Each structure stands twice: as structure tokens, then as C-alpha cells.
Amino acid sequence: KNQVEQSPQSLIILEGKNCTLQCNYTVSPFSNLRWYKQDTGRGPVSLTIMTFSENTKSNGRYTATLDADTKQSSLHITASQLSDSASYICVVQTGTASKLTFGTGTRLQVTL
Amino acid sequence: DTEVTQTPKHLVMGMTNKKSLKCEQHMGHRAMYWYKQKAKKPPELMFVYSYEKLSINESVPSRFSPECPNSSLLNLHLHALQPEDSALYLCASSQGGGSGLAKNIQYFGAGTRLSVL
């Protein structure tokens, strides 16, 4: 069964600090891995998307890494801002373009 | 423009009502999706339309009826819903038409928050 597990479930950090979110997956066949940011009550917004041949990809203060051998990914947020408070969802695509396996997300809260 | 527009933003309906959710995109995408998301849970795929034809139905109850009138519009018709159907309903679209990475990035709308009384 395809699964995507994320940790931690929730995280509280001070504004300006860095943090790293983790994603482990058991998905076959693997096509690509995405990180989405979802504000409460809103739709997910794509941050990064990586294939198995890519180790790292950045989008502003967000940097995602992928280790296809260990089936792990991380999302590093640098110099956090209050607006980073959201759920971050790791999503892995298997085979066809339509089938995505979603992780349960990490709920990040950035405080003053 | 990477916008997927969903209306209404909020909907409250009784179990005997008939209502429709609407989704619109003008990115020329040929694949469109409906997801259901309960609080603190990941989205669950309901339906996929590819080139205006239903390609995936994830065993969704018949009280949910999708419709794709044209390549820019996707509707979800609701009838005789149950209180447990209350959720955030998300629409997404992707370029479709191949396996290239850019073609299958899904862009999500803001969702319709549905409450069934």
C-alpha cells in the first residue's frame, strides 16, 4: 500500500528561526514528489516538485531535498515569517498523472 | 494566470436539498479534479476528468454527480447529502496530455466549505 508519512505532526517556532520538516514514503512506482503549503480553509499551493534524479530544489526561503534511495524528503524553511504558518503537505505521484498520495501534513505555527 | 476559481466559498444545505459546486480555470488545462478534505486530513481524490471525459471515479457515492460542460468548467452536483459529507471540497487542474513534469502539476482552487445540516 502506498503511504506517505510526515513528521513532526505539528511544530511551533519563533519568527526568524529555521526549521526542517520530514517526509518518508513507500510508493511504487515513484514518479515525483511535491511539497504543498496549505493555509487553513484554503487550497494547497505547490512549493516544489522533484523527480528521482533531483536531490534538491529551492523556491525562495523553501528548500526541498530528496533521497530516492532511502525514500526520504525534507523541506527546510529559512528565516521563518509569520505568514509561513500553515500546513505543509508532502505528496508523491505514482505512475499516472492523476494519482497522488498525500501525507497527513505538518502543521507549522510561527510566533513572535 | 495560475488561478482555479471555485464558487461558492461556503455552502450550507439540508439533507433534502440539491446544490452544485462550480470550478473554473482558464489556463487551457485539460485535466480537472475533485477532492474532498476533512479537517486535519489530507485531500481525498473523488473524480478526475481528462479531456472532458470522466476518467477516474474513486467509488464515490451517487449522491455526488460530477459534470464537465467544457474544458474550462467542472461542476459537482449534490443531492441528498449526509452530515458526514460536510468537508472542504477542492477542485484542481493540470495541463494533462502527457507524462512531462510540467504537465501534471496540479493547481488547486481555494475550495468550497460545505456544511450539511
Side-chain angles (χ1 to χ4, degrees):
Chain A
K1 183 183 175 185
N2 292 330
Q3 279 191 311
V4 177
E5 295 180 351
Q6 293 186 241
S7 61
Q9 261 191 327
S10 61
L11 182 62
I12 302 175
I13 62 173
L14 293 175
E15 186 182 28
K17 297 296 186 183
N18 304 335
C19 67
T20 300
L21 314 180
Q22 301 291 342
C23 172
N24 296 334
Y25 61 92
T26 52
V27 167
S28 181
F30 175 87
S31 177
N32 59 72
L33 183 145
R34 313 150 189 231
W35 283 93
Y36 281 89
K37 176 186 178 187
Q38 186 173 21
D39 293 311
T40 301
R42 307 281 296 179
V45 175
S46 180
L47 296 175
T48 63
I49 180 169
M50 291 184 291
T51 63
F52 72 92
S53 61
E54 296 175 286
N55 299 120
T56 183
K57 184 163 280 189
S58 292
N59 178 358
R61 294 180 296 103
Y62 301 103
T63 299
T65 65
L66 174 65
D67 185 332
D69 292 330
T70 61
K71 298 187 178 180
Q72 295 179 326
S73 176
S74 66
L75 181 69
H76 186 74
I77 304 175
T78 305
S80 61
Q81 300 175 358
L82 296 177
S83 59
D84 292 332
S85 296
S87 288
Y88 291 83
I89 307 174
C90 176
V91 183
V92 181
Q93 180 179 323
T94 59
T96 68
S98 304
K99 297 293 280 188
L100 304 180
T101 302
F102 288 80
T104 52
T106 292
R107 191 162 191 82
L108 174 67
Q109 185 178 347
V110 181
T111 65
L112 293 171
Chain B
D1 179 13
T2 56
E3 192 170 309
V4 176
T5 304
Q6 290 188 243
T7 55
K9 285 184 169 42
H10 303 276
L11 179 63
V12 179
M13 60 186 291
M15 289 190 283
T16 59
N17 292 157
K18 286 185 181 180
K19 297 286 185 184
S20 296
L21 309 185
K22 296 185 185 303
C23 175
E24 190 168 2
Q25 57 86 16
H26 296 288
M27 296 179 276
H29 288 176
R30 303 312 298 269
M32 296 186 77
Y33 312 77
W34 279 115
Y35 289 87
K36 173 184 177 180
Q37 186 176 25
K38 302 286 273 186
K40 298 184 181 180
K41 298 287 187 183
E44 298 174 6
L45 183 66
M46 299 174 72
F47 302 104
V48 180
Y49 271 83
S50 179
Y51 289 83
E52 298 153 55
K53 293 193 185 322
L54 182 65
S55 61
I56 294 179
N57 176 344
E58 291 287 331
S59 303
V60 178
S62 59
R63 57 185 184 269
F64 295 91
S65 175
E67 179 198 18
C68 190
N70 59 58
S71 60
S72 299
L73 294 174
L74 185 65
N75 298 323
L76 186 63
H77 302 298
L78 314 173
H79 174 54
L81 294 194
Q82 304 296 312
E84 59 264 29
D85 296 322
S86 298
L88 181 68
Y89 287 84
L90 294 167
C91 173
S93 71
S94 65
Q95 197 170 337
S99 59
L101 205 57
K103 292 185 185 297
N104 57 53
I105 295 175
Q106 290 187 24
Y107 296 88
F108 285 83
T112 292
R113 182 155 300 283
L114 174 68
S115 296
V116 181
L117 304 178

